Amino acid sequence: ERALWEDYQKAYGAVLEACNTNLARWHIVPADRKWARNLSMLEIIVNTLEKMNLQYPTPAFDPKAIVIE
């Protein structure tokens, strides 16, 4: 198996390159330290959500007009 290491590395690179698109980004996250893995994943998620510029939808009614008794 060790003799095939170069082939494995080429196949690994080809898979990542073929699967990484603008619509479905891949991120390589180190997993040897849980805190570093978690920090990396959270930074990716926060950055992605900020780029999406999400906004609350405008309600079709006036929420202040609702009276709860």
Side-chain angles (χ1 to χ4, degrees), residues 17-55:
E17 188 174 318
C19 294
N20 186 25
T21 67
N22 287 333
L23 295 176
R25 305 295 297 168
W26 279 48
H27 301 275
I28 307 292
V29 177
D32 54 341
R33 301 270 191 270
K34 287 184 180 180
W35 69 267
R37 176 204 61 203
N38 294 346
L39 178 61
S40 295
M41 291 173 53
L42 286 172
E43 286 176 342
I44 291 166
I45 292 168
V46 167
N47 288 337
T48 301
L49 289 172
E50 286 176 346
K51 287 179 186 176
M52 293 173 70
N53 194 25
L54 298 174
Q55 303 293 323

Side-chain angles (χ1 to χ4, degrees), residues 55-68:
Q55 303 293 323
Y56 286 107
T58 304
F61 60 92
D62 182 8
K64 293 179 182 177
I66 297 175
V67 177
I68 300 176

